Amino acid sequence: IWVYAEVYEMDLSSLQPGLGVKISGGSLGGEVLGGKVASVDRVINPTTRTAKVRIQVPNAKAALRPEAY
């Protein structure tokens, strides 16, 4: 499954494809999921000063749902 994250411009230099990441959220009940950065968008949103990062996460337990936050 793909997870899209908005990352601040100043933090983008530390991200690259293949980097391992951890994802947590209220709907995961304290569970932390591991994934890998698949791509980092090169375009910065001028309003939020962020870029989208696409993360590939195995979803064997169906813990993540489409359009969830």
Side-chain angles (χ1 to χ4, degrees):
I1 190 167
W2 297 116
V3 172
Y4 291 93
E6 296 279 334
V7 177
Y8 287 109
E9 179 180 21
M10 66 183 131
D11 297 325
L12 290 172
S13 63
S14 62
L15 297 177
Q16 60 186 349
L19 181 69
V21 297
K22 294 180 182 179
I23 298 170
S24 62
S27 65
L28 295 175
E31 184 178 0
V32 177
L33 303 176
K36 290 192 181 216
V37 173
S39 65
V40 179
D41 198 347
R42 298 193 48 82
V43 178
I44 302 291
N45 179 320
T47 303
T48 62
R49 304 309 301 172
T50 61
K52 287 191 178 183
V53 175
R54 186 171 65 177
I55 302 166
Q56 186 173 10
V57 179
N59 197 29
K61 298 179 187 176
L64 299 174
R65 300 180 188 273
E67 303 299 326
Y69 284 92

